[in-house]
Amino acid sequence: RDAHRLVVLAAGPPAEGHVHALRAVRTIDDIRIVARSPESATALVERLGEHGIPAAVGVTGDVSRADIIATAT
C-alpha cells in the first residue's frame, strides 16, 4: 500500500502503457524513466507530461530506491 516510487526500465510504447496501468491501481507520485538512450527517456517524460503525469529521466541507481520496477522492453 505504501508503494509510490516507480522506475520504468525502457522508454517505448509498452513503457508508457505500464505507467498508465500502474497509475490506475496505485498512487504513484515519483516516476523515473531509465533507458539506454537519454533521448528516448526524455521523449517519454515529455509524453507523460502531456497527460499531466510528472516524471523524470532516471539513472540505474534509482532502482535501489524504487518501490515498483517495471521492465518494458
Side-chain angles (χ1 to χ4, degrees), residues 2-15:
D2 295 334
H4 63 95
R5 289 182 303 265
L6 169 64
V7 172
V8 180
L9 301 174

Side-chain angles (χ1 to χ4, degrees), residues 48-73:
L48 292 170
E50 292 170 3
H51 294 280
I53 301 171
V57 174
V59 296
T60 55
D62 291 328
V63 169
S64 67
R65 294 179 296 284
D67 298 314
I68 302 168
I69 301 166
T71 57
T73 59

Side-chain angles (χ1 to χ4, degrees), residues 19-73:
V19 171
H20 290 288
L22 287 164
R23 283 178 45 91
V25 297
R26 291 271 186 202
T27 302
I28 305 292
D29 59 21
D30 184 358
I31 301 170
R32 304 294 166 153
I33 307 299
V34 178
R36 283 185 279 173
S37 162
E39 295 82 11
S40 296
T42 299
L44 177 53
V45 166
E46 290 172 358
R47 286 195 309 274
L48 292 170
E50 292 170 3
H51 294 280
I53 301 171
V57 174
V59 296
T60 55
D62 291 328
V63 169
S64 67
R65 294 179 296 284
D67 298 314
I68 302 168
I69 301 166
T71 57
T73 59

